[in-house]
Amino acid sequence: MATISTLAYLVAAVLFILALRGLSHPTTSRQGNIYGMVGMAIAIVATLFRPGMDATGILLILAGLAIGGGAGAVVANRIQMTALPQLVAAFHSLVGMAAVFVAAAAFYSPESFGIGTHGDIHTASLVEMSLGLAIGAITFSGSVIAFAKLDGRMSGAPIIFNGQHKLNAGLGVLLLVLVIAFCATGSPLLFWAIALLSFALGFLLIVPIGGADMPVVVSMLNSYSGWAAAGIGFTIGNLLLIVTGALVGASGAILSYIMCKGMNRSIINVLLGGFGTDTSAAGAAGGAAADKGPVKAGSPEDAAFIMKNASKIIVVPGYGMAVAQAQQVLREMGDLLKKEGATVEYAIHPVAGRMPGHMNVLLAEANVPYEDVKELEEINPEFAEADVAFVIGANDVTNPAAKTDKSSAIYGMPILDVEKAKTVFFIKRGMASGYAGVDNELFFRPNTMMLFGDAKKVTQEIVQALQK
């Protein structure tokens, strides 16, 4: 049975790798999901039939599956696509807390995991346990703060105070000292001291990070949850948990790097505060924007007329589209324009929305053809050839201040070059700044026409005008 269980874990691990590969592209994402589900089912069955598993253990596992699976099914059916970022953050918190609970179980019942006896746990196991405990606790509290920011339960603005980075550095050093002491003594007091300090550190690491950096935070916490699982996998000697945790940890780290590259920032820069920490710079940008002249406002009928006579249109979706749930009517507008003979493409910035791939998910839900969706590097050269850039809720990622204003909090971030299009339509409720707290210079450009109102309603009115 031990050999069969190990073989089943190996098959599950291969399926998880195939799942990651499938999820890397929209055309294979469904297949990737299936691979992941099958792999998890195999892993659960293999765990139930592991040597030493008694009836009580099987019943507890089945009870956990029923409770967790039932709750997951309810959440999956009720959740709105716009709430996916905070849902992902919430899931990361659960993974982190699970790592803390497993570490506690291993510490208080080492015999069950073959890592020693109570009061005499193997040193290597204490090292693995403490790392899994610390990373898991940091992941939990950090994910809770990320969830609160994304869900609007607390301000998305950075929360900063004097000496913050020094405090975090000091707590980090103290945590390392506690881990070393715990590995030397195996003290229960030190175990819980590590847990509490890690919870506090996770909170302090995320609160100073501004809203515009949330996509990086989400992928970073994803990486943390993977490393926490891998550390606990070493502790309890579970091969599949080690492999799965390493896969999640590595993929999350790579994704964090890609996100940071998309913002022209280092991961250290993000961790030390994110966009908006320099309030004076943001204020200067906002003040400068206010003096740039009048804004040209138009109507949905104006937009429909111009786009009906355009040959190339690039749609730029953002979080405003997600909030308004306008992706379906946006795709309808694109189909009508194609019937008029126009080329319609969709430009995706790597940090558009509130998590990596947020816009891709929404456009896929609306059945926008995959071949029409282009990433920043591919689409940017085409804006100069476009008759119309249709921006729907994408603010910071289209702001020319990222290229022109060195005092701006977003200076240096690669943006979508929408200002190069002949005409720019910008759907927005008002003139408020984006999530980074920086006013958008694009609003004041002579080729920009603002379409004020709810993104879904305005787009519906454009569709109606196109059908006349």
Side-chain angles (χ1 to χ4, degrees):
M1 288 300 295
T3 303
I4 294 175
S5 178
T6 302
L7 180 61
Y9 278 174
L10 180 60
V11 172
V14 171
L15 286 170
F16 291 151
I17 294 171
L18 292 174
L20 280 178
R21 182 181 181 186
L23 291 170
S24 66
H25 195 276
T27 57
T28 57
S29 59
R30 288 183 182 273
Q31 187 179 48
N33 263 323
I34 292 172
Y35 283 142
M37 289 187 289
V38 172
M40 184 56 69
I42 292 173
I44 291 171
V45 172
T47 301
L48 290 173
F49 289 96
R50 285 191 71 181
M53 184 67 69
D54 57 17
T56 302
I58 292 175
L59 287 174
L60 287 173
I61 291 174
L62 292 177
L65 284 173
I67 296 171
V74 170
V75 170
N77 283 321
R78 292 183 178 180
I79 197 72
Q80 297 292 325
M81 294 296 287
T82 53
L84 278 180
Q86 48 265 51
L87 177 66
V88 171
F91 282 163
H92 290 160
S93 73
L94 296 178
V95 175
M97 184 54 76
V100 173
F101 285 156
V102 173
F107 180 68
Y108 284 99
S109 183
E111 298 88 352
S112 300
F113 300 95
I115 59 175
T117 59
H118 189 65
D120 187 25
I121 300 175
H122 303 152
T123 301
S125 297
L126 289 175
V127 172
E128 297 155 359
M129 184 189 302
S130 60
L131 291 176
L133 171 66
I135 299 173
I138 290 172
T139 302
F140 172 77
S141 56
S143 297
V144 168
I145 298 301
F147 168 83
K149 285 187 175 234
L150 289 166
D151 203 46
R153 303 191 184 202
M154 67 180 292
S155 172
I159 300 174
I160 56 177
F161 53 87
N162 291 332
Q164 189 169 40
H165 299 323
K166 292 180 180 178
L167 174 62
N168 288 346
L171 291 178
V173 172
L174 178 58
L175 180 61
L176 179 61
V177 171
L178 289 177
V179 167
I180 294 173
F182 172 71
C183 294
T185 64
S187 166
L189 182 63
L190 290 176
F191 178 91
W192 291 111
I194 291 172
L196 292 174
L197 183 59
S198 298
F199 283 133
L201 193 55
F203 172 84
L204 291 170
L205 282 173
I206 303 302
V207 291
I209 298 179
D213 283 333
M214 275 299 121
V216 178
V217 172
V218 171
S219 61
M220 180 185 68
L221 290 170
N222 177 55
S223 180
Y224 285 1
S225 68
W227 298 125
I232 294 302
F234 278 108
T235 301
I236 64 177
N238 189 300
L239 176 63
L240 186 61
L241 197 55
I242 296 170
V243 173
T244 306
L247 284 173
V248 174
S251 61
I254 293 170
L255 188 56
S256 297
Y257 169 77
I258 294 172
M259 294 294 102
C260 286
K261 187 178 179 182
M263 297 188 299
N264 194 31
R265 293 156 65 77
S266 69
I267 189 68
I268 299 300
N269 184 258
V270 172
L271 290 176
L272 291 180
F275 290 148
T277 51
D278 187 352
T279 54
S280 61
D291 298 328
K292 288 190 175 180
V295 171
K296 184 164 57 178
S299 67
E301 289 74 19
D302 296 330
F305 177 79
I306 293 174
M307 287 195 289
K308 203 169 187 177
N309 293 280
S311 60
K312 185 178 182 65
I313 300 161
I314 300 177
V315 179
V316 182
Y319 189 64
M321 181 196 74
V323 172
Q325 299 184 47
Q327 59 268 27
Q328 297 288 351
V329 68
L330 184 66
R331 190 262 306 158
E332 187 179 349
M333 184 192 80
D335 290 345
L336 288 172
L337 290 169
K338 287 180 180 179
K339 288 180 181 179
E340 295 291 336
T343 299
V344 180
E345 295 177 320
Y346 298 80
I348 305 297
H349 192 281
V351 295
R354 296 293 184 268
M355 73 173 186
H358 196 183
M359 296 301 104
N360 302 76
V361 171
L362 293 175
L363 293 178
E365 182 200 19
N367 294 317
V368 171
Y370 300 131
E371 59 271 15
D372 292 346
V373 180
K374 305 293 180 65
E375 300 295 331
L376 181 144
E377 294 83 1
E378 185 180 4
I379 197 67
N380 257 354
E382 298 186 30
F383 278 106
E385 306 168 0
D387 297 300
V388 173
F390 186 83
V391 184
I392 176 168
N395 203 334
D396 297 322
V397 298
T398 63
N399 193 342
K403 296 186 291 185
T404 61
D405 185 1
K406 292 185 178 181
S407 69
S408 172
I410 63 172
Y411 182 74
M413 181 180 82
I415 63 167
L416 292 164
D417 295 330
V418 296
E419 77 277 6
K420 294 182 179 179
K422 293 177 183 176
T423 302
V424 179
F425 291 119
F426 206 116
I427 299 182
K428 207 171 184 303
R429 288 182 179 273
M431 295 293 292
S433 61
Y435 210 37
V438 180
D439 289 316
N440 197 336
E441 292 181 2
L442 186 63
F443 299 165
F444 306 91
R445 295 291 175 99
N447 61 331
T448 299
M449 181 179 291
M450 301 297 295
L451 303 174
F452 292 112
D454 175 78
K456 185 175 183 179
K457 183 179 179 182
V458 171
T459 309
Q460 285 173 335
E461 291 175 356
I462 292 173
V463 168
Q464 291 169 4
L466 288 171
Q467 292 173 333
K468 292 179 180 179

